[in-house]
Amino acid sequence: DIQMTQSPSTLSASVGDRVTITCRASQSINIWLAWYQQKPGKAPKLLISKASSLESGVPSRFSGSGSGTEFTLTISSLQPDDFATYYCQQYNSYSKTFGQGTKLEIK
Amino acid sequence: QVQLVESGGDVVQPGGSLRLSCAASGFTFSGYGMHWVRQAPGKGLEWVVFIRYDGSDKYYADSVKGRFNISRDNSNNTLSLQMNSLRAEDTAVYFCAKEGSSRQPFDFWGQGTLVTVSS
C-alpha cells in the first residue's frame, strides 16, 4: 500500500500568516492527490483535487502544488475559519490512503 | 442537493457484529463508486473499503479484510457495511463518502455514525 506522510503534525500560526503543509507519498502517485479540511465533529470537506485543482467555492487563498511524491498545501493569508485539521489523500490506487493529518492551531 | 445519511452505529461487545447503512439522495447513486472511511476518537482518517458503482468490485483495507463486507442496493439508494468479529480497535466514527466522477476523490461525505466496541 502507498503510505502518505504529512508534516508538520501541528502548526501554530496567526491570522494573516502564510502557511505550508507538506505531504509525501511512498511511491509516485502522479497528480492523484487531494486535500481535505476537517473541523471538530464534522465530516471532512474536499478543498483540492488533482494536486492543484481548487474545488468550487473554496477560497482562492488555498492552493496546492506538486506531483510524483511531493506535494504542498499553502494558505496565503490565514483567516479565523481556517483553523482546522488538514489531510492529504492519495487516490492513485484502489486503497485511498490518507496522511496522518496536520492540526492548524491559533498562535 | 447531495445527502448521505449514515445509521446503525451502536455499542457492541468484542467479537460481535453490526450493520451500518448509508442512505443516499440528491444524485444518481447507481452511477458512483462509494467508500467507507473511519476515524477513531482523536485520531486521523482511515480508508476502510470501496465498492464500484455497480457492485462488481470491492476493495478492503488490510485491517478489515475478511471481517467486513460492503454492499449496495442501487434500487433503494443504500450503501451497507456488515462488520463481523469486531475488535476494540474498530471503535470509530464511520463515514460513507461518494467518489466524484472522472477519477476524482471524495466530493461528498455523510455526518458519520459512531461504533463503539467494548465489553
Side-chain angles (χ1 to χ4, degrees), chain B residues 6-84:
Chain B
E6 302 93 337
S7 61
D10 205 345
V11 179
V12 61
Q13 291 190 340
S17 298
L18 203 59
R19 188 176 183 87
L20 305 183
S21 295
C22 171
S25 60
F27 66 103
T28 305
F29 180 71
S30 59
Y32 294 90
M34 297 292 296
H35 299 258
W36 288 96
V37 176
R38 68 184 181 183
Q39 186 168 36
K43 303 296 184 183
L45 302 170
E46 179 188 13
W47 172 82
V48 175
V49 60
F50 161 74
I51 186 167
R52 202 174 290 278
Y53 68 96
D54 59 358
S56 60
D57 282 313
K58 305 173 186 180
Y59 297 93
Y60 296 86
D62 288 344
S63 58
V64 306
K65 203 172 294 183
R67 301 187 298 121
F68 288 14
N69 183 54
I70 190 173
S71 60
R72 64 189 298 158
D73 181 347
N74 285 345
S75 61
N76 287 309
N77 295 341
T78 301
L79 178 72
S80 297
L81 183 66
Q82 178 65 41
M83 304 187 295
N84 300 324

Side-chain angles (χ1 to χ4, degrees), chain A residues 1 32 34 36 38 42-44 46 49-50 55 87 89 91-92 94-100, chain B residues 35 37 39 43-47 50 52 59 62 95 99 102-107 109-111:
Chain A
D1 285 0
W32 307 115
Y36 298 87
Q38 187 181 33
K42 301 294 187 182
L46 178 63
S49 61
K50 293 181 186 173
E55 292 297 300
Y87 294 92
Q89 179 202 33
Y91 55 105
N92 182 64
Y94 285 115
S95 96
K96 318 282 188 206
T97 42
F98 292 90
Q100 78 277 19
Chain B
H35 299 258
V37 176
Q39 186 168 36
K43 303 296 184 183
L45 302 170
E46 179 188 13
W47 172 82
F50 161 74
R52 202 174 290 278
Y59 297 93
D62 288 344
F95 297 97
E99 236 180 37
S102 303
R103 199 169 183 182
Q104 287 285 65
F106 306 170
D107 56 359
W109 298 61
Q111 84 290 348

Side-chain angles (χ1 to χ4, degrees), chain A residues 5-78:
Chain A
T5 304
Q6 278 181 243
S7 60
S9 296
T10 306
L11 181 55
S12 296
S14 302
V15 173
D17 284 353
R18 178 186 180 91
V19 298
T20 297
I21 298 169
T22 298
C23 181
R24 289 187 173 87
S26 60
Q27 64 189 72
S28 177
I29 57 170
N30 199 340
I31 61 165
W32 307 115
L33 191 282
W35 289 98
Y36 298 87
Q37 177 193 66
Q38 187 181 33
K39 295 183 178 179
K42 301 294 187 182
K45 173 188 174 184
L46 178 63
L47 299 176
I48 289 172
S49 61
K50 293 181 186 173
S52 60
S53 295
L54 205 63
E55 292 297 300
S56 175
V58 175
S60 59
R61 61 182 179 273
F62 290 90
S63 64
S65 66
S67 66
T69 62
E70 292 229 0
F71 303 86
T72 59
L73 171 69
T74 298
I75 309 173
S76 60
S77 178
L78 275 173

